[in-house]
Amino acid sequence: MLRSGIDPLYERYLRWQVKHIPLHVAVIQDGNRRFARDQGLDRAVGHRRGADTTEEFLDWACDLGVRHITLYTFSTENFRRDKDELAALFTLFQEKFAAIMTDERVHRNHIRVQMIGDRSLLPDDLLATIDAAEEATLAYDDYYINIALAYGGRNEIVHAARSILDEVRQGAIDPATIGTTTVETHLHRGAPIPPVDLIIRTGNDCRTSNFLPWLANGHESAVYFCAPYWPAFRKIDLLRAMRVYDQRMRLKERAA
């Protein structure tokens, strides 16, 4: 009861502290399975609780003015999980992408949804639903939500290199002109994704796990590690993370 009264006050205090809003926040959503284990729940329930938190997080971030959000939802390493868990996850992903097409919040706020990752690794039915969700939001440009599925940072750079080499062979690119901009325009199938300002990782694991190495590590993004498992993540945790970014920006301003 006491916490329910204090939390809104603390949220307002944190919001007052944050003067610099990151353009692009990337989240490593870790801890669904450990949350389920600690609560005595099935792993599939843990993933669904995590999906509920994702929807809340997107509302919070958009309300705070974050225009680009990238969610590390499923890595290439996650394919090692058992077939029952994979089947439950793919069903959940398909449900959520299908819901995007009729979600009034998406259309009211002009949110573009796009997948990043290796599409060749996903089931055809899931991929068809993803394609439909992307098509339904293709014209929007107020907010961007990037869902990292079947994603690995090094794998993404390899795919970009192959794409550049193909265009070199076709004569579309002069090798002498290849630079950082060339690479960036070939990452993520050309999706318009700016450098990462802030990475958040939940679940008390202090590593970035091969996530957006070009856009995050290459641009020295701020990083915030926190203890709550993803299903237990709160708006207060997001504001604390944004305060870390704000502090970094203030230091840069003083140094300028």
Side-chain angles (χ1 to χ4, degrees):
M1 186 72 176
L2 179 62
R3 179 172 172 177
S4 65
I6 291 174
D7 279 0
L9 295 175
Y10 186 40
E11 279 183 21
R12 287 199 291 272
Y13 172 67
L14 288 169
R15 182 64 188 89
W16 173 80
Q17 288 186 306
V18 175
K19 307 302 182 186
H20 299 85
I21 304 298
L23 174 67
H24 183 185
V25 174
V27 186
I28 303 172
Q29 305 164 288
D30 196 11
N32 290 344
R33 298 197 298 174
R34 285 177 287 162
F35 174 86
R37 180 197 63 205
D38 290 354
Q39 299 292 320
L41 302 170
D42 185 79
R43 287 177 301 187
V45 176
H47 291 308
R48 287 194 172 272
R49 293 281 185 87
D52 293 341
T53 298
T54 297
E55 294 197 13
E56 289 185 299
F57 175 87
L58 295 175
D59 287 339
W60 302 331
C62 289
D63 286 344
L64 290 167
V66 179
R67 292 194 58 225
H68 295 259
I69 302 161
T70 302
L71 304 172
Y72 203 175
T73 303
F74 189 84
S75 73
T76 50
E77 289 77 17
N78 289 152
F79 282 100
R80 300 171 187 160
R81 296 180 179 180
D82 68 66
K83 63 179 182 180
D84 290 338
E85 184 175 2
L86 290 177
L89 279 167
F90 291 150
T91 296
L92 178 59
F93 297 154
Q94 189 156 8
E95 287 177 10
K96 294 303 180 181
F97 273 102
I100 286 167
M101 290 178 272
T102 56
D103 190 326
E104 59 91 18
R105 295 171 302 176
V106 170
H107 302 291
R108 182 181 69 243
N109 295 314
H110 296 160
I111 300 171
R112 180 172 175 179
V113 178
Q114 49 199 5
M115 175 204 149
I116 61 173
D118 192 340
R119 292 172 180 251
S120 69
L121 299 176
L122 296 177
D124 289 342
D125 56 344
L126 172 57
L127 194 55
T129 305
I130 292 170
D131 288 340
E134 290 180 326
E135 180 65 27
T137 64
L138 186 61
Y140 297 152
D141 59 4
D142 286 353
Y143 298 94
Y144 294 80
I145 296 173
N146 313 302
I147 311 297
L149 283 180
Y151 179 84
R154 290 185 295 180
N155 189 43
E156 184 65 41
I157 292 173
V158 168
H159 279 277
R162 288 174 180 164
S163 177
I164 292 169
L165 285 172
D166 284 342
E167 293 192 34
V168 168
R169 292 190 193 99
Q170 296 164 14
I173 294 178
D174 178 354
T177 66
I178 294 174
T180 56
T181 301
T182 313
V183 176
E184 287 175 355
T185 56
H186 287 78
L187 289 170
H188 319 300
R189 301 173 75 230
I193 304 176
V196 177
D197 297 307
L198 171 65
I199 289 182
I200 301 170
R201 180 171 188 144
T202 60
N204 206 28
D205 197 351
C206 300
R207 55 196 174 98
T208 56
S209 296
N210 193 24
F211 187 36
L212 301 174
W214 187 279
L215 295 176
N217 299 341
H219 292 272
E220 297 185 339
S221 64
V223 181
Y224 180 76
F225 299 111
C226 59
Y229 299 136
W230 179 245
F233 190 85
R234 299 175 296 159
K235 188 176 184 180
I236 281 173
D237 300 305
L238 172 59
L239 286 166
R240 285 170 173 162
M242 292 176 66
R243 181 172 59 182
V244 168
Y245 170 76
D246 180 79
Q247 291 167 346
R248 183 170 183 271
M249 295 304 295
R250 289 172 191 257
L251 286 172
K252 288 179 69 175
E253 288 175 348
R254 293 191 194 108

